[in-house]
């Protein structure tokens, strides 16, 4: 079933937030392809673009939406009784695949006026979906923290091609831990993992003290095709390695008993790393 | 030779104190004192003063600073105040004062302040330049850092870099620094600081260039009120001739407050998917609505490929605004920044450096009628 039925808030969705501490490293691409991948498997999916000022979800899908989260917030403020979040969703459809989008505001002024509590409430109103994918921006803002709080998992993305990016990935992870997010909830996802670079994934894992949950390969050509054609990768580059890789990641995220398999495949931190972690005050 | 001192002070007790202190020092020769502006401007010339103390808490005296600058060319002019007032200090500096000093002071204080203010550069108001980027990953920090290095080298004047990207500032890593004090400390302390006690918050990274670093942990950003950051920038202007601020991405209270007081804002964008030009357009439209004629806003596009006028035209069409500055790509920059050797290892012979060099020349000439 592709069309969501509105059943109030009896159910709870799995909320996957896509977060990073460095901008421009593929969060939106990941969010779109998680949404379309989960939708392919028959799940009801909503993709919420909470990069409020400069969200790219609509851009990357070449859509224009008459409704946005800014309108939803206004409606919620004006008439809470009759608020229906469905009036503010815009559907993406491509063949048999469809998912809903809660678009970012069109104007910066509207983005600046958004209220953390109202937006969080709007996201929680989407609970009739099986999955809510939230595309965030790269800051520890009040809104991002509120969304990370209600997320089932945090898909924490890093591209480790540049020393400042590595620093920000590590600092961001440490901060999430200091904010008491469970390590299990934070999924370290390396993007462009196999590109030629100066810093090895293994060194990153050693520095962080945790292994990557998933590594997405570097496939600039396919991403470019997807953006230029305004489609998810499964349509723009169905045979590409990145498309296959996203399918695997969707497989991990759609197992409701998430990752029993994970513990087998991951490298447990060694004794030394454990003591370093303690030393760093985790 | 001792400074030939003139004091302009309407408070008799304060005047007596100052005269008493300076007379005890061999470095100062108090030649005349005045209680009002008119007498000082009319009579002090007789004594060929080269150092003025003028009470800038008195509005008339504060507003007459340009006349003193004009009448006594080359003399040092120190505004005196009992408590540090950032607004008054800015007006004094804009009026041409060498700087301000708290009173009462010791003779040693005065010598230290004169030293601090003379190494700053020309006795002209500072130029405050901010780097804004809509989404980040725009080359903003690299550009700000190279521009700072080039301005210092070309002018021999003091340049400050302020890392206001409070959560994820990258400047310390570019210069391989582990700062003891950061912009967060400065913002918390600023109400208690004077230019003299504030100066050590900066880390010298090269001759003439100093950095006020971002904090190591993102949650410290919470401790910085946008208003106190404005005060930090204002005081920085009193000890540096050029102040370059690397802002956090997007529209937020910190970025907006600093842009509001900036002389120049560079909206920095790197084209990747192509939609970045749309973000720059939205940004320029926001700045246009905020325009009060006091600042110049320029568009900068980094890593432009191909680096030619054709690209400029294409970007400008999509942008709906002129493309003011284009910066070419330079692959070697990544390894330079990665090794923390930005202060030493810049590839000077490249098109990138020449382009930023020209940008620095323009900034140096702004305001001197040679744009």
């Amino acid at each position: 079933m592709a069309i969501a039925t509105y059943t109030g808030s009896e159910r709870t969705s799995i909320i996957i937030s896509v977060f990073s501490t460095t901008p421009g490293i593929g969060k939106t691409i990941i969010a779109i392809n998680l949404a379309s991948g989960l939708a392919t498997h028959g799940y009801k999916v909503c993709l919420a673009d909470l990069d409020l000022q400069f969200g790219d979800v609509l851009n990357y899908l070449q859509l224009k939406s008459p409704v946005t989260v800014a309108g939803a917030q206004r409606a919620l403020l004006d008439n809470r009784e009759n608020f229906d979040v469905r009036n503010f969703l815009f559907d993406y459809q491509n063949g048999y695949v469809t998912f809903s989008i809660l678009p970012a505001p069109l104007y910066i002024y509207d983005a600046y006026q958004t209220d953390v509590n109202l937006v969080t409430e709007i996201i929680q109103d989407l609970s009739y979906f099986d999955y809510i994918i939230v595309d965030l921006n790269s800051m520890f803002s009040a809104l991002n923290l509120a969304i990370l709080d209600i997320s089932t998992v945090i898909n924490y993305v890093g591209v480790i091609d540049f020393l400042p990016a590595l620093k920000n990935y590590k600092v961001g992870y440490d901060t999430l831990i200091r904010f008491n997010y469970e390590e299990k909830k934070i999924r370290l996802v390396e993007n462009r993992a196999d590109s030629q670079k100066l810093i090895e994934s293994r060194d990153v894992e050693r520095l962080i003290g945790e292994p990557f949950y998933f590594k997405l390969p570097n496939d600039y050509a396919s991403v470019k095709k997807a953006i230029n054609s305004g489609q998810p990768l499964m349509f723009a580059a169905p045979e590409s390695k990145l498309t296959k890789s996203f399918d695997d990641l969707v497989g991990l995220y759609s197992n409701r008993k998430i990752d029993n398999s994970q513990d087998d495949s991951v490298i447990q931190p060694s004794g030394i790393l454990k003591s370093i972690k303690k030393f760093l005050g985790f | 030779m001792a400074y030939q001192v003139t004091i302009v002070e309407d408070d008799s007790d304060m005047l007596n104190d100052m005269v008493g202190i300076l007379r005890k020092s061999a470095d100062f020769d108090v030649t005349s004192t005045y209680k009002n502006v008119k007498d000082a401007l009319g009579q002090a010339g007789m004594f060929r003063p080269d150092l003025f103390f003028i009470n800038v808490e008195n509005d008339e005296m504060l507003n007459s600073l340009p006349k003193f600058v004009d009448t006594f060319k080359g003399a040092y002019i120190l505004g005196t105040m009992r408590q540090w007032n950032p607004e008054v200090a800015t007006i004094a500096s804009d009026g041409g004062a060498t700087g301000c000093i708290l009173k009462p002071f010791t003779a040693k204080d005065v010598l230290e302040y004169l030293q601090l203010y003379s190494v700053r550069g020309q006795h002209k108001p500072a130029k405050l330049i901010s780097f804004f980027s809509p989404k980040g990953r725009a080359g903003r920090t690299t550009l700000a850092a190279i521009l700072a290095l080039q301005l210092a080298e070309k002018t021999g004047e003091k340049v400050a870099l302020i890392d206001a990207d409070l959560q994820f500032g990258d400047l310390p890593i570019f210069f391989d620094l582990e700062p003891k004090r950061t912009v967060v400390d400065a913002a918390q302390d600023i109400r208690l600081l004077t230019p003299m006690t504030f100066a050590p918050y900066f880390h010298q990274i090269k001759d003439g260039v100093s950095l006020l670093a971002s904090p190591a942990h993102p949650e410290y950003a919470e401790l910085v009120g946008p208003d106190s950051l404005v005060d930090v920038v204002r005081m920085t202007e009193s000890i540096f001739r050029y102040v370059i601020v690397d802002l956090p991405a997007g529209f937020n209270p910190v970025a907006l407050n600093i842009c509001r007081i900036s002389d120049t804002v560079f909206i920095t964008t790197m084209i990747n998917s192509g939609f970045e030009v749309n973000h720059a357009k939205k940004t320029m439209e926001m700045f246009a609505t905020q325009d009060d004629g006091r600042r110049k806003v320029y568009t900068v596009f980094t890593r432009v490929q191909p680096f030619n006028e054709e690209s400029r035209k294409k970007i400008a069409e999509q942008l709906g605004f002129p493309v003011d500055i284009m910066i070419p790509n330079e692959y070697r920059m990544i390894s330079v920044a990665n090794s923390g050797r930005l202060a030493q290892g810049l590839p000077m012979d490249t098109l990138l450096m020449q382009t930023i060099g020209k940008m620095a020349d323009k900034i140096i000439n702004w305001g001197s009628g040679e744009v």
Side-chain angles (χ1 to χ4, degrees):
Chain A
M1 255 312 267
I3 297 160
T5 46
Y6 194 68
T7 56
S9 53
E10 288 153 32
R11 305 188 37 197
T12 20
S13 330
I14 291 179
I15 303 180
I16 303 175
S17 48
V18 184
F19 182 60
S20 76
T21 48
T22 300
I25 58 166
K27 276 190 303 295
T28 303
I29 289 291
I30 291 173
I32 287 173
N33 287 286
L34 281 182
S36 65
L38 288 163
T40 311
H41 289 281
Y43 294 105
K44 289 173 288 184
V45 181
C46 184
L47 169 55
D49 190 350
L50 294 191
D51 182 355
L52 297 173
Q53 293 184 8
F54 298 106
D56 273 321
V57 168
L58 290 183
N59 287 338
Y60 285 6
L61 293 171
Q62 293 177 11
L63 298 173
K64 286 217 184 311
S65 166
V67 291
T68 71
V69 65
Q73 175 175 308
R74 269 193 291 274
L76 183 60
L77 266 180
D78 289 351
N79 192 345
R80 179 176 290 272
E81 303 285 289
N82 294 318
F83 176 74
D84 185 342
V85 73
R86 288 174 299 174
N87 296 334
F88 301 94
L89 302 180
F90 190 77
D91 284 348
Y92 173 81
Q93 191 160 15
N94 198 332
Y96 61 95
V97 176
T98 178
F99 57 87
S100 298
I101 299 170
L102 177 64
L106 296 179
Y107 305 104
I108 289 170
Y109 181 78
D110 283 339
Y112 212 75
Q113 301 294 318
T114 46
D115 175 275
V116 174
N117 293 328
L118 293 172
V119 173
T120 310
E121 201 177 325
I122 291 165
I123 296 294
Q124 281 170 327
D125 255 17
L126 297 167
S127 62
Y128 64 95
F129 284 97
D130 296 320
Y131 283 91
I132 305 169
I133 312 293
V134 192
D135 189 13
L136 299 171
N137 70 6
S138 311
M139 263 178 237
F140 281 110
S141 60
L143 175 64
N144 287 354
L145 289 173
I147 299 300
L148 295 179
D149 280 349
I150 61 168
S151 296
T152 316
V153 292
I154 300 167
N155 184 96
Y156 180 50
V157 192
V159 170
I160 316 298
D161 57 349
F162 193 39
L163 204 57
L166 173 61
K167 185 264 293 175
N168 292 338
Y169 196 60
K170 160 83 174 149
V171 166
Y173 181 75
D174 292 352
T175 306
L176 288 172
I177 297 293
R178 267 202 307 281
F179 287 164
N180 284 323
Y181 291 104
E182 284 170 36
E183 285 169 49
K184 276 271 176 191
K185 179 168 165 175
I186 308 166
R187 303 299 161 97
L188 306 178
V189 174
E190 184 180 18
N191 195 16
R192 296 174 211 156
D194 58 348
S195 58
Q196 289 216 330
K197 55 192 184 180
L198 301 162
I199 306 159
E200 295 279 338
S201 303
R202 236 176 337 160
D203 296 333
V204 179
E205 292 175 335
R206 210 169 291 151
L207 179 71
I208 303 262
E210 289 290 329
F212 279 109
Y213 176 70
F214 200 81
K215 295 178 185 177
L216 289 160
N218 187 36
D219 189 352
Y220 179 70
S222 299
V223 170
K224 206 170 167 196
K225 257 192 230 165
I227 292 176
N228 287 344
S229 69
Q231 302 183 94
L233 280 153
M234 62 171 71
F235 299 106
E239 301 302 326
S240 75
K241 58 178 177 178
L242 186 56
T243 306
K244 247 196 69 41
S245 190
F246 268 115
D247 197 41
D248 293 342
L249 182 56
V250 165
L252 284 175
Y253 280 142
S254 57
N255 178 359
R256 278 217 167 232
K257 270 168 62 192
I258 294 173
D259 59 272
N260 291 330
S261 63
Q262 191 207 231
D263 288 351
D264 307 327
S265 62
V266 302
I267 321 144
Q268 286 301 324
S270 68
I272 292 172
L273 280 173
K274 273 189 179 143
S275 53
I276 289 174
K277 281 177 69 175
K278 210 178 281 173
F279 173 72
L280 287 172
F282 279 69
Chain B
M1 211 186 93
Y3 288 102
Q4 302 299 302
V5 175
T6 291
I7 303 175
V8 188
E9 172 65 65
D10 49 333
D11 178 333
S12 307
D13 292 342
M14 186 59 82
L15 181 61
N16 286 339
D17 280 358
M18 285 194 274
V19 171
I21 288 159
L22 293 173
R23 285 222 164 117
K24 278 187 215 141
S25 163
D27 293 311
F28 302 96
D29 195 355
V30 181
T31 55
S32 59
T33 63
Y34 302 95
K35 291 192 172 169
N36 67 66
V37 169
K38 202 169 146 248
D39 290 349
L41 283 171
Q43 300 172 19
M46 284 292 292
F47 307 97
R48 302 195 172 277
D50 52 15
L51 173 59
F52 282 82
F53 293 91
I54 301 177
N55 176 19
V56 287
E57 287 173 330
N58 175 312
D59 282 344
E60 195 199 349
M61 293 180 183
L62 175 64
N63 294 325
S64 311
L65 288 173
K67 285 187 200 148
F68 282 94
V69 173
D70 200 43
T71 312
F72 304 98
K73 289 193 173 63
Y76 290 106
I77 297 179
L78 293 178
T80 60
M81 46 174 103
R82 279 165 300 187
Q83 244 185 346
W84 193 267
N85 181 327
E87 289 79 33
V88 169
T90 300
I91 298 170
S93 162
D94 288 348
T98 311
C100 288
I101 185 168
L102 288 184
K103 62 189 169 188
F105 42 67
T106 66
K108 186 166 162 275
D109 289 340
V110 176
L111 292 174
E112 283 174 352
Y113 269 96
L114 285 173
Q115 164 72 15
L116 184 71
Y117 291 142
S118 4
V119 296
R120 173 182 176 273
Q122 300 180 64
H123 293 159
K124 287 182 178 170
K127 289 182 177 172
L128 176 56
I129 300 155
S130 308
F131 281 89
F132 181 101
S133 71
K135 267 190 104 153
R137 195 110 172 160
R140 181 192 76 221
T141 304
T142 312
L143 185 55
I146 299 174
L147 184 70
L149 293 167
Q150 294 226 11
L151 279 173
E153 188 160 328
K154 282 172 186 281
T155 60
E157 297 181 280
K158 291 275 185 191
V159 180
L161 257 174
I162 298 180
D163 195 347
D165 187 352
L166 300 174
Q167 290 194 354
F168 296 107
D170 292 334
L171 278 165
I173 214 166
F174 277 17
F175 294 110
D176 196 17
L177 280 182
E178 276 187 61
K180 279 196 225 75
R181 284 173 176 171
T182 70
V183 64
V184 176
D185 303 307
Q188 289 191 308
D189 301 348
I190 194 68
R191 287 280 164 186
L192 304 170
L193 294 175
T194 61
M196 207 67 213
T197 50
F198 175 48
Y201 285 64
F202 284 85
H203 299 258
Q204 186 165 338
I205 49 185
K206 211 183 177 183
D207 264 356
V209 184
S210 300
L211 171 69
L212 185 56
S214 49
H217 296 300
E219 53 264 53
Y220 291 158
E222 289 291 304
L223 304 172
V224 178
D227 292 339
S228 57
L229 196 60
V230 166
D231 291 343
V232 167
V233 171
R234 287 301 194 202
M235 198 176 282
T236 305
E237 288 181 306
S238 68
I239 46 181
F240 292 89
R241 178 79 165 88
Y242 294 92
V243 181
I244 297 178
V245 188
D246 187 20
L247 297 171
F251 289 91
N252 47 66
V254 164
L256 288 176
N257 259 329
I258 303 298
C259 286
R260 188 172 48 77
I261 61 167
S262 294
D263 301 301
T264 306
V265 180
F266 289 113
I267 311 291
T268 317
T269 309
M270 187 191 295
I271 298 176
N272 209 330
S273 69
F275 293 106
E276 294 83 2
V277 181
N278 297 6
H279 299 322
K281 183 186 171 81
K282 270 165 97 170
T283 303
M284 286 301 287
E285 286 164 356
M286 271 297 276
F287 272 92
T289 66
Q290 307 280 311
D291 185 25
D292 56 6
R294 283 194 305 177
R295 74 191 77 78
K296 297 181 193 145
V297 179
Y298 294 94
T299 58
V300 183
F301 287 83
T302 59
R303 284 207 208 165
V304 177
Q305 279 174 318
F307 188 67
N308 57 28
E309 288 307 306
E310 187 69 20
S311 294
R312 188 191 296 269
K313 232 181 99 187
K314 257 175 69 184
I315 301 168
E317 246 162 58
Q318 192 185 342
L319 184 65
F321 290 88
V323 174
D324 297 308
I325 295 163
M326 291 197 302
I327 307 287
N329 192 20
E330 172 54 55
Y331 288 103
R332 274 182 286 170
M333 273 316 299
I334 292 178
S335 64
V336 171
N338 258 341
S339 60
R341 289 177 55 79
L342 209 66
Q344 296 93 29
L346 288 179
M348 288 313 294
D349 53 338
T350 54
L351 186 59
L352 177 81
M353 290 302 139
Q354 288 160 19
T355 311
I356 301 175
K358 278 186 210 155
M359 202 172 156
D361 290 336
K362 272 193 204 164
I363 291 169
I364 294 163
N365 291 325
W366 276 336
S368 55
E370 305 161 33
V371 181

